[in-house]
Amino acid sequence: MKNKKLLWNLLYVFVIIGIGYFIYLSSAHVNYIWRWKNIPSFIVYNSQDTIDSPVSGIVENYKNKTLYIKSVKGKIEALKVEHPEVEKGQVVDKDDELGYNTHYRSGPLLVGLYMTLKISIMAMVVAMFLGLITGLMRISSNPLLKNLALTYIELVRGTPLLVQLFIFYFFIGTVFHLDRLVSGVGALSVFEGAYIAEIIRAGIQSIHKGQREAALSLGMNYYQIMRHIIMPQAIKRTMPAMAGQFISLIKDSSLVSVISITDLTKAGREIITSTFSPFEVWFTVAFMYLVLTYSLSFLTQIIERKMAKSD
Amino acid sequence: MTNTIIKAENVYKTYPGGVEALKDVSLTVSKGEVVVIIGASGSGKSTFLRTLNRLEKIDSGKITIDNMEITNPKIKITSLRSEIGMVFQHFNLFPHLSVLNNVVLAQTIVKKRDRKESVEIAMELLRRVGIDDKADMYPGQLSGGQQQRVAIARSLAMKPKIMLFDEATSALDPEMVGGVLDIMKSLAKEGMTMVVVTHEMGFAKEVADRVIYMDEGRIVEAGTPKTVFSGAKSERLKQFLSQIL
Ligand SMILES: Nc1ncnc2c1ncn2[C@@H]1O[C@H](COP(=O)(O)OP(=O)(O)OP(=O)(O)O)[C@@H](O)[C@H]1O
Ligand SMILES: [Mg+2]
């Protein structure tokens, strides 16, 4: 039994290797030249900052990566220089190059990843808010609130996100003079809010009606029941679905690149125009999305396990 | 007349599905009285109980609690409900709150007592029902009988004038029933007004001032336990009693 499992797992590894080899062969077939060497520098790169002398004077000493320069007025200036290009005793003029320091800087892909994360978090916060309100309206007995919620949910779920994004950017954005980032976050929030509303509705309806009745019989009002009895239980129950929705949101956010927001996807496109390495760049971009979504699902698993313990 | 605390007059209730759950039900309960309602499944016992704190709206008729006509739609029932304690068959404790907080929560947000006072009241009541050593546990960690005792404490914390029990012991293991019934008996002795739906005929005989027999949405017979149990007039009640005793 155990041996059989091992066999299947080995087979899995072979299949994966096979697929990788197939991709390699296909690229060789179109005479694709792989240039992985440059890719890391699009994530982080080492930049050199040259250090110029602030004064005219003489190099007194170099110790602990620090240059000591005695100015003509006799004052000692201390400067941090990792790679000096002057020697002890050398005479320097003001603004002469003394050497350089190296710095790790975020490459365009990392900057894009940061933008993706920022957009996703902002959109998630707004979407949660929208979803909570809509979810509550959706289960309201008031026909006005209920129908408004239903209309919103149906409109959003029945049209493609890309189209909604264009509407937000070209129509709403133009009318209200919205910045492209606001348009992007707005469209994403409205889109995800409709799905979150359904998650919240399902969560609330999954709470046994006895909970509400017990709270009512103790004299609590609607708000108190929602706040203290229903929502705490519903939110706990919807955690996995919420996490899934957040992961979807991160992936959906790649569409904002079409309205020229430089997120991870747009950064990828820009790099390709200058490097002609589409395969490497797209694989890297995909991998970076994967890191984001996978860490998120890992995190929620930990939280869920912690929460399960408190039961 | 001044001694009347519950007065239901000609109450009718039909559920949206078309079931006529209550047909012309009238009942008057005096302060300190213990009324036990018996009847077959589906006869409308729970429905009637739930109209008394307006968990269920009625179609016609009138219900007055402590001189307040609660079926009048103009009456704000929300906080009035706390004057009427209700104990459910399935306890309905709040699973995300500790035992203590189950008893404390409504005191602080409905009665606006400060937390310290609420905790003191809660601990005293939990001691009374014998669960004070489990105050920090969660409902899921307690047995059914213990949960029901917490639920009783939770209702009592609101200092209700009336307690309603809807088959409070039906979901319990047999060995747990006695403990819960004992608490209900001691409440009755202290003069609490109680309306109790139960299948525990022993309890009815021992504690009830009056027994009401309901059938198909009507009150068919009513009287002292003795007259109802040994002097049943209708065939349906005789049949019901023979099944249950
Ligand atoms: N929410 C509801 N919607 C529609 N019909 C209902 C509802 N609740 C109860 N009923 C129906 O109303 C009738 C009376 O129900 P009720 O629960 O009051 O009976 P009961 O005497 O408490 O029965 P049991 O002993 O089974 O608890 C039944 O026929 C039942 O099916
Ligand atoms: Mg019932």
Side-chain angles (χ1 to χ4, degrees):
Chain A
M1 194 59 215
K2 210 176 169 189
N3 265 332
K4 245 186 187 163
K5 269 237 172 89
L6 188 71
L7 216 64
W8 283 114
N9 279 324
L10 272 175
L11 194 61
Y12 162 77
V13 172
F14 275 120
V15 170
I16 293 294
I17 292 174
I19 292 172
Y21 188 62
F22 176 76
I23 292 172
Y24 171 74
L25 279 188
S26 339
S27 71
H29 184 71
V30 294
N31 296 323
Y32 190 81
I33 302 157
W34 293 88
R35 289 195 209 84
W36 281 106
K37 214 170 77 223
N38 295 331
I39 298 300
S41 71
F42 294 117
I43 300 173
V44 282
Y45 64 95
N46 218 333
S47 83
Q48 298 188 352
D49 297 341
T50 54
I51 312 287
D52 296 337
S53 177
V55 292
S56 301
I58 184 166
V59 179
E60 270 274 299
N61 203 356
Y62 181 69
K63 220 165 56 190
N64 294 333
K65 298 197 168 171
T66 310
L67 267 179
Y68 297 90
I69 297 169
K70 189 174 188 180
S71 74
V72 281
K73 286 173 192 155
K75 225 175 119 202
I76 304 263
E77 298 273 345
L79 290 163
K80 190 171 168 285
V81 181
E82 283 166 16
H83 306 278
E85 284 165 349
V86 289
E87 283 169 6
K88 207 163 147 181
Q90 192 172 330
V91 175
V92 291
D93 275 336
K94 188 168 189 290
D95 295 335
D96 271 2
E97 194 177 319
L98 298 175
Y100 63 90
N101 285 340
T102 55
H103 269 295
Y104 281 109
R105 287 253 157 82
S106 306
L109 285 181
L110 204 59
V111 172
L113 183 78
Y114 172 72
M115 184 53 124
T116 288
L117 200 61
K118 184 170 127 186
I119 288 176
S120 302
I121 289 172
M122 289 197 297
M124 190 65 187
V125 171
V126 182
M128 287 273 241
F129 182 74
L130 273 177
L132 181 63
I133 305 273
T134 313
L136 290 174
M137 281 166 66
R138 171 83 177 71
I139 52 171
S140 156
S141 52
N142 180 328
L144 169 71
L145 298 179
K146 187 178 180 159
N147 287 330
L148 279 176
L150 273 172
T151 309
Y152 163 49
I153 292 169
E154 291 307 320
L155 279 183
V156 165
R157 301 217 302 183
T159 52
L161 174 56
L162 189 57
V163 174
Q164 292 170 24
L165 221 102
F166 284 140
I167 292 178
F168 239 89
Y169 183 56
F170 290 113
F171 180 65
I172 302 175
T174 312
V175 172
F176 293 101
H177 303 288
L178 297 181
D179 168 76
R180 65 178 81 246
L181 186 66
V182 176
S183 297
V185 170
L188 274 176
S189 312
V190 166
F191 180 77
E192 304 295 334
Y195 289 86
I196 290 178
E198 285 296 274
I199 293 174
I200 287 182
R201 178 193 60 77
I204 290 173
Q205 287 180 340
S206 77
I207 305 299
H208 193 267
K209 70 176 179 13
Q211 292 288 305
R212 190 177 144 270
E213 289 178 352
L216 278 175
S217 78
L218 291 167
M220 293 186 214
N221 60 30
Y222 175 83
Y223 168 78
Q224 291 169 331
I225 295 174
M226 278 297 162
R227 156 86 179 70
H228 295 284
I229 308 299
I230 307 289
M231 288 320 281
Q233 297 183 58
I235 284 175
K236 192 164 166 179
R237 223 172 266 189
T238 54
M239 269 290 290
M242 284 290 186
Q245 198 60 41
F246 192 27
I247 288 171
S248 291
L249 171 57
I250 290 175
K251 293 182 290 178
D252 294 342
S253 76
S254 70
L255 283 176
V256 300
S257 62
V258 299
I259 58 169
S260 287
I261 294 176
T262 310
D263 71 331
L264 182 51
T265 303
K266 178 98 189 310
R269 286 217 318 251
E270 282 170 0
I271 292 166
I272 288 164
T273 56
S274 62
T275 59
F276 310 106
S277 307
F279 290 9
E280 296 88 330
V281 171
W282 286 130
F283 280 135
T284 309
V285 166
F287 179 74
M288 288 171 80
Y289 274 112
L290 208 59
V291 168
L292 216 56
T293 54
Y294 190 77
S295 1
L296 193 67
S297 73
F298 186 72
L299 199 75
T300 46
Q301 269 174 31
I302 292 177
I303 294 174
E304 269 165 43
R305 225 170 290 150
K306 278 242 170 80
M307 277 181 146
K309 264 186 206 149
S310 83
D311 275 341
Chain B
M1 193 57 204
T2 51
N3 214 19
T4 298
I5 188 161
I6 303 173
K7 192 174 172 74
E9 297 165 82
N10 313 103
V11 173
Y12 285 82
K13 164 87 192 174
T14 303
Y15 279 109
V19 180
E20 292 178 86
L22 297 176
K23 294 175 232 167
D24 197 18
V25 175
S26 296
L27 176 73
T28 306
V29 180
S30 309
K31 276 184 189 142
E33 203 180 357
V34 177
V35 174
V36 167
I37 302 178
I38 58 172
S41 177
S43 57
K45 308 179 298 288
S46 298
T47 305
F48 180 60
L49 214 58
R50 293 156 58 83
T51 61
L52 296 180
N53 62 357
R54 218 164 93 184
L55 276 186
E56 235 34 279
K57 284 204 187 91
I58 62 174
D59 299 329
S60 68
K62 194 166 132 183
I63 295 173
T64 313
I65 303 280
D66 206 19
N67 295 321
M68 184 87 78
E69 193 195 323
I70 61 145
T71 43
N72 182 344
K74 288 198 191 101
I75 295 268
K76 290 275 286 175
I77 188 74
T78 310
S79 56
L80 279 181
R81 284 201 183 101
S82 66
E83 318 237 305
I84 307 168
M86 189 164 212
V87 178
F88 302 85
Q89 181 174 356
H90 296 288
F91 335 128
N92 299 347
L93 290 182
F94 307 130
H96 61 299
L97 299 177
S98 69
V99 163
L100 180 67
N101 283 332
N102 262 275
V103 186
V104 164
L105 177 66
Q107 294 189 63
T108 55
I109 65 177
V110 177
K111 293 282 184 196
K112 314 281 183 212
R113 290 180 197 140
D114 63 41
R115 171 139 184 119
K116 187 165 168 281
E117 188 191 356
S118 304
V119 169
E120 273 166 21
I121 292 173
M123 285 311 295
E124 191 185 311
L125 285 166
L126 286 173
R127 205 167 305 128
R128 166 167 186 179
V129 298
I131 311 284
D132 51 326
D133 56 331
K134 302 196 165 53
D136 292 326
M137 287 194 174
Y138 282 82
Q141 298 170 302
L142 303 186
S143 74
Q146 291 167 334
Q147 289 190 53
Q148 193 60 296
R149 284 188 269 164
V150 174
I152 293 174
R154 180 176 68 175
S155 285
L156 290 177
M158 308 308 283
K159 307 242 158 90
K161 295 176 184 143
I162 300 166
M163 286 288 287
L164 309 174
F165 293 85
D166 191 358
E167 305 200 25
T169 56
S170 295
L172 301 182
D173 292 335
E175 69 268 23
M176 300 287 174
V177 171
V180 172
L181 287 180
D182 285 342
I183 293 168
M184 291 166 65
K185 282 177 199 164
S186 81
L187 271 176
K189 267 203 201 92
E190 284 168 21
M192 176 67 80
T193 307
M194 292 164 53
V195 181
V196 183
V197 173
T198 185
H199 293 299
E200 295 290 333
M201 294 305 143
F203 175 85
K205 276 180 190 153
E206 189 184 332
V207 184
D209 297 306
R210 209 152 23 121
V211 175
I212 307 279
Y213 171 63
M214 284 186 76
D215 189 31
E216 295 186 340
R218 290 177 200 279
I219 294 181
V220 179
E221 291 194 32
T224 61
K226 212 178 215 162
T227 55
V228 171
F229 288 136
S230 22
K233 283 173 251 155
S234 68
E235 270 316 303
R236 293 286 292 253
L237 175 54
K238 279 179 195 158
Q239 207 182 342
F240 175 75
L241 289 172
S242 72
Q243 276 168 8
I244 211 151
L245 291 177

